[in-house]
Amino acid sequence: MTQAVAVPGQLLGPADRYAAGAGTHIHESNLYSSLLGTVAVAQPEKAPGPAKRLTRIAALAAGNNSGGNSNNPNNSSSNSGGNRNSLPTISVSRSGVSEKREVLPEVGNVVLCRVTRITPRHASVAILVVGDTVLEAEWQGLVRVQDVRATEKDRVKIYESFRPGDIVRAQVISLGDQANYYLSTASNELGVIMATSEAGNPMFPVSWKEYKDPETGISEPRKVAKPF
Amino acid sequence: MADRRRINGPVGQTNPPIYDTPQEKRIAKRPGDNAVRKIFLKTGVTPSASGSAYLEIDDPFAIRPSGTNLKLTCTVHGPRALPRSAPFSPHIILSTHVKYAPFATRQRRGYLRDSSERDLGVHLETALRGAIIADRWPKSGVDIIVTIIEGDQNRDSPDYDRDEGWDMMNVLSGCITVASAAIADAGIDCVDTVAGGVAALAAQDEKSQPSIVLDPDVASYHKIFAACCVAYLPTRDEVTNVWFKGQLPGADAMLYNKMVERSLVACRNANRVLIQSLSETINPGQNVS
């Protein structure tokens, strides 16, 4: 079976019959591909496309649609907002081209990262995985002391929550400053998921705030993530 | 200062020997002035880069081994994190580097980029910026590096002094097309595939009237009066960059418009090759309409 190929700039269909998915853009109330890849049309009953770029596309579609309405009198803004969910989503994926598709961390994504250094105010991390995608490049992130947990924020100490080398599950809360994404672990599911002790042994979680070394029996404080 | 870590070639230009009987003038035996030379384009040639492409415009009348060929390779690195010193950017930062290989032209090039190479880089960046959807990639940068392996100059023509840099037009149009292919290969969002094309006002020999030709093979014309390189988005019908060089005879006021229009024809031709080449990367060996 051959899949439909899209090159950047290729017309995919009118914007009032399809919803824009990943790898597409809207120009003058038409949907165009913006990537080289294979076209996929997802019916609205199914999960509408990969969730990793969803927030961005919704904003883009809404913004372009309101601008394009002047050219297209049939498409009033009230019904276009209403039946957006019932439209099939058309998206262009890179699956046929190459496996290495770079994705960016976006606000709301759950990421896996490794702690690189800690200071009293924040922990610096390197983001390794966004959603289900392993990143090609390493992106810097920052967990500030007020974002470590949701309660008793004033008593949080970074060195009792993270240590360099820990693997942390966190959520992106902001694109941050020029260098770092800002991350948060203020949720039960978020926090340290893998840790090694000072003796260098892998540890297991024993409570919400402790990891224990099975060989030496010494426990160390961490912001522990709830196991799945 | 000379770079002591590399084995440097001879300083200055090295010319091939000139024989007593000068080789005869190259004659443009084109099917017509509207024909462009054949383009070879292939993506994914550099495994270590995020995206890459190779473009070759071959001399159709290559009876001698040293014809005037254009060979370009482009690598795209990124999107990747910006350096820590860079300020916050809500969109992708393009940086383009165009470099002639030391052996690409008759005049040997240095290892550092000179002003003409930087100039090509600026033109290339302008051409690409109009095609890329920059705000899909906040806080990231992409490096686009084009290396010119062979610079579309006739190596055994004895009249070296006639080199007025017209070949740079062809080089830029090739750079735009090859970079566009490499960006698509890298998976960076674009509104369209941008392609470059050249039209020139050229005279075949001393007696003939100048006429507008597409994709001028510089060495085979007696004189080129003006040339125009355009970067064009065919689906959108938008021009992202125009580089016009030379002097137009004052008689015809519409000549400038005509030349730009003719370059758009060359752009569409290059774009057809680009689309075909990109489609083949997904379904190899299959013809895609």
Side-chain angles (χ1 to χ4, degrees):
Chain A
M1 180 192 139
T2 57
Q3 290 163 300
V5 177
V7 295
Q10 184 170 321
L11 180 66
L12 297 175
D16 51 356
R17 284 187 44 209
Y18 295 103
T24 63
H25 66 279
I26 298 179
H27 176 63
E28 291 180 347
S29 54
N30 275 320
L31 267 166
Y32 293 91
S33 167
S34 56
L35 287 178
L36 170 66
T38 49
V39 182
V41 181
Q43 293 305 318
E45 298 89 66
K46 294 185 219 161
K52 57 192 175 199
R53 296 181 76 88
L54 207 62
T55 49
R56 175 66 49 85
I57 279 134
L60 181 80
N64 264 328
N65 208 1
S66 59
N69 275 335
S70 54
N71 308 345
N72 187 2
N74 300 331
N75 186 7
S76 74
S77 60
S78 58
N79 78 25
S80 73
N83 62 16
R84 178 142 308 271
N85 292 332
S86 61
L87 293 175
T89 302
I90 197 160
S91 59
V92 177
S93 72
R94 299 266 299 154
S95 55
V97 186
S98 74
E99 294 313 310
K100 42 175 193 179
R101 160 87 170 117
E102 188 66 44
V103 292
L104 288 185
E106 286 183 19
V107 174
N109 287 156
V110 172
V111 299
L112 297 181
C113 40
R114 183 195 291 118
V115 179
T116 51
R117 56 193 289 254
I118 57 172
T119 71
R121 293 181 164 273
H122 56 79
S124 297
V125 299
I127 301 173
L128 308 173
V129 177
V130 173
D132 299 328
T133 318
V134 181
L135 296 181
E136 292 287 313
E138 273 193 6
W139 299 83
Q140 291 297 310
L142 211 62
V143 186
R144 296 173 297 180
V145 68
Q146 64 266 39
D147 298 326
V148 169
R149 64 179 183 224
T151 57
E152 289 191 301
K153 290 187 177 186
D154 48 341
R155 300 218 188 125
V156 175
K157 291 193 173 64
I158 285 287
Y159 63 88
E160 289 176 355
S161 310
F162 304 115
R163 293 289 165 86
D166 290 355
I167 302 295
V168 174
R169 190 190 297 129
Q171 191 174 30
V172 181
I173 54 171
S174 159
L175 292 186
D177 58 11
Q178 74 271 31
N180 301 302
Y181 284 88
Y182 286 173
L183 310 176
S184 166
T185 56
S187 170
N188 283 350
E189 289 75 34
L190 305 176
V192 177
I193 55 173
M194 280 172 71
T196 47
S197 68
E198 281 179 13
N201 304 315
M203 300 195 290
F204 61 89
V206 289
S207 76
W208 286 112
K209 14 168 96 169
E210 268 182 330
Y211 264 88
K212 195 165 190 177
D213 186 338
E215 292 191 23
T216 61
I218 301 168
S219 54
E220 291 182 17
R222 291 289 197 281
K223 182 357 179 147
V224 181
K226 179 185 172 187
F228 279 135
Chain B
M1 189 185 130
D3 190 344
R4 279 179 295 176
R5 295 191 188 183
R6 296 190 179 92
I7 302 166
N8 289 309
V11 181
Q13 61 181 16
T14 53
N15 295 334
I18 300 170
Y19 300 101
D20 278 349
T21 49
Q23 284 167 321
E24 59 197 74
K25 184 89 189 83
R26 292 166 54 86
I27 307 154
K29 282 176 291 192
R30 294 239 184 153
D33 289 340
N34 292 336
V36 298
R37 289 175 286 175
K38 282 184 181 168
I39 302 173
F40 174 81
L41 184 63
K42 186 172 164 57
T43 56
V45 291
T46 313
S48 59
S50 319
S52 57
Y54 172 78
L55 178 139
E56 187 171 323
I57 298 181
D58 217 6
D59 189 358
F61 322 104
I63 39 170
R64 290 185 288 265
S66 53
T68 78
N69 299 332
L70 179 63
K71 288 178 185 155
L72 304 172
T73 169
C74 177
T75 54
V76 173
H77 297 277
R80 58 186 178 190
L82 287 172
R84 295 188 72 87
S85 55
F88 180 84
S89 156
H91 48 77
I92 200 165
I93 305 266
L94 269 182
S95 59
T96 53
H97 303 262
V98 177
K99 186 75 194 84
Y100 279 95
F103 46 81
T105 48
R106 283 196 297 263
Q107 176 82 44
R108 215 180 147 77
R109 302 282 177 151
Y111 286 101
L112 301 174
R113 283 185 295 153
D114 65 13
S115 62
S116 71
E117 289 163 335
R118 283 197 299 270
D119 204 16
L120 286 171
V122 171
H123 279 292
L124 178 61
E125 187 182 342
T126 322
L128 297 176
R129 187 172 284 166
I132 287 181
I133 308 176
D135 47 1
R136 292 261 167 109
W137 300 93
K139 290 181 63 165
S140 43
V142 61
D143 292 314
I144 296 157
I145 297 148
V146 180
T147 307
I148 299 154
I149 301 169
E150 205 171 329
D152 207 17
Q153 290 188 348
N154 187 15
R155 284 165 183 251
D156 36 40
S157 133
D159 36 0
Y160 299 110
D161 49 336
R162 219 161 51 78
D163 179 23
E164 292 161 336
W166 295 113
D167 50 289
M168 269 176 71
M169 290 292 186
N170 284 338
V171 168
L172 177 64
S173 87
C175 284
I176 292 166
T177 312
V178 75
S180 176
I183 285 172
D185 186 41
I188 297 171
D189 300 70
C190 290
V191 294
D192 202 351
T193 46
V194 60
V198 181
L201 188 68
Q204 202 78 255
D205 48 56
E206 281 170 49
K207 284 152 282 183
S208 65
Q209 277 288 98
S211 60
I212 299 179
V213 294
L214 295 187
D215 188 22
D217 172 7
V218 176
S220 49
Y221 292 99
H222 167 66
K223 185 169 171 59
I224 291 183
F225 295 92
C228 166
C229 176
V230 170
Y232 179 60
L233 308 174
T235 321
R236 290 247 173 149
D237 196 24
E238 285 173 19
V239 168
T240 58
N241 187 43
V242 177
W243 188 20
F244 198 94
K245 201 166 146 181
Q247 292 249 303
L248 291 176
D252 191 353
M254 289 302 286
L255 203 53
Y256 177 84
N257 289 20
K258 270 187 206 158
M259 281 185 67
V260 173
E261 265 169 38
R262 298 304 295 158
S263 348
L264 294 188
V265 175
C267 290
R268 287 201 191 91
N269 282 331
N271 199 72
R272 226 165 285 147
V273 177
L274 183 56
I275 300 275
Q276 179 79 38
S277 161
L278 290 180
S279 309
E280 276 172 7
T281 58
I282 299 182
N283 294 326
Q286 189 200 344
N287 253 354
V288 179
S289 60

